[in-house]
Structures are given as structure tokens and as C-alpha cells.
Amino acid sequence: QVQLRESGPGLVKPSETLSLTCTVSGGSISNYFWSWIRQPPGKGLEWIGYVYDSGSTNYNPSLKSRVSISVDTSKNQFSLRLRSVTAADTAVYYCARAVYCSNTACSAGGIDAFDIWGQGTMVTVSS
Amino acid sequence: QSVLTQPPSTSGTPGQRVTISCSGGSSSIGRNTVHWYQQLPGTAPKFLIYSNNQRPSGVPDRFSGSKSGTSASLAISGLQAEDEADYYCATWDDSLNAVVFGGGTKLTVL
């Protein structure tokens, strides 16, 4: 079955760039939308953005000026870059597969819901 | 502050039925389907309900969802100790052009 795994530094200094990679195994990255979602300690979930296998993207307006998400289909990976981080960016970062859901089933090609999640990786912003 | 509003917490005893509400607006729940996620302590969220009331394979039929207007609900019947978790609703918001989540509801099984 498809599995996702996040990787990257667990500690980033303020004002620097947070960089994470999500590796997709057990299936192809093609034909799906892929997202990053974060969760500050003790708080709720926040959608960061998505990338399609073509490279097209869409970002949360609240983060749009600082975020970029890219895809490398040859490596079955997609990546997150968040610039100019502050302590408020400290969170568990999840990568997830997005699917289109009709009234009866979910499939590739849309971003209705997130059916597969990585285990998450904690990123702390601190000097 | 989340675009979708959920009660911060709820509780129930084993065997009981509990419901969790999720309130949105005309550009979110009013126009799009609602999905629910279950997050057990210390783990990643799990896909629980899609398209308002559908269960992915493997999700017990004790979990059900509904939607009416700009609100949605998750119901859990025959409550079990293993259901103790945080529950999140989510949908697409046409005005924000973004996925939005509720703030989450912590379910305690007494």
C-alpha cells in the first residue's frame, strides 16, 4: 500500500528557510494532488498547500508569500520550502495524498480530502 | 481562529452515542462536501468520513456523518475506549480558495 514519509531538519533558526521532503512509496506520485499540512503543538490542523504531478500548485493565502511546494516525479517525492520562519512556524508537519471524493468513492485527480498521511515530522524554530 | 467551528471538547461513557458539530459558512460547508479525520494521541490524522456521510474501507459503521446547510455532524454510536481522540472536520472554502479545517474536538471516553 502507499506510504508517505517526511524527512528534513528538526531544528531551523529564525529567519531561515524550512525545507522538508515527502517520499512516496508503494505507488506512483502521478495523477494525484499532494499536500502539506501542519499542526502546532497542542493546536489544530492547518493546510499549507498542494502540488500536482504536473507541478501546478495552490497555497493557503495566509502562507502564500513564504511557501513553495515542488514535485520530483523521477524520485517520487515532493517538497516544502517555507521562508523567513519564526517561532510561530514550530509544528508537526505532515505530508498527505489528496483525493477527489464523489458520493460513493474517492479517486485520483482532485483535492476533496486527504486519504493517506505521513507519520509527521516535528520542526522547531529556535536559535 | 478556524473557519470551521467545532466544540473544543465532548465526552461520553462506553456504549453511549455522541455527536460532534461543525459549523461553517456559505462559501465552505454551504457549497462543498465535508470530511472528517480522527487523530489518536501521538499519531497522524486518519481518514474517517468523506463526502459528508461515506466511510472509507475499514472504518466501523459506528461512525456516521451528516450535513445540513452550513453545518455538519459526526456521530459515534456504541462508544468505545479506543474512540478517545481528537476529531477534525474539513472542507474546501470557495472564497479563500483553500482547504479549511475545524479547530478540532477532543473526545473523552469516561
Side-chain angles (χ1 to χ4, degrees), chain A residues 15-86:
Chain A
S15 80
E16 296 190 344
T17 297
L18 179 160
S19 295
L20 297 174
T21 296
C22 183
T23 301
V24 180
S25 60
S28 174
I29 204 168
S30 298
N31 302 318
Y32 282 93
F33 288 83
W34 302 90
S35 267
W36 287 96
I37 297 158
R38 70 180 183 178
Q39 185 173 35
K43 297 188 177 180
L45 302 168
E46 180 182 32
W47 177 71
I48 298 172
Y50 70 66
V51 63
Y52 190 53
D53 64 356
S54 63
S56 65
T57 56
N58 188 29
Y59 304 126
N60 188 322
S62 68
L63 297 169
K64 191 172 185 176
S65 63
R66 298 193 292 129
V67 69
S68 62
I69 300 176
S70 59
V71 63
D72 186 336
T73 55
S74 67
K75 294 182 179 179
N76 241 29
Q77 294 177 333
F78 62 104
S79 299
L80 168 70
R81 286 173 58 85
L82 182 64
R83 297 176 290 276
S84 305
V85 298
T86 69

Side-chain angles (χ1 to χ4, degrees), chain A residues 39 58 102-104 112 114, chain B residues 35 37 39 50-51 54 88:
Chain A
Q39 185 173 35
N58 188 29
S102 68
N103 288 335
T104 56
D112 283 329
F114 305 107
Chain B
H35 317 290
Y37 303 89
Q39 187 175 32
Y50 69 91
S51 297
Q54 301 298 306
Y88 293 90

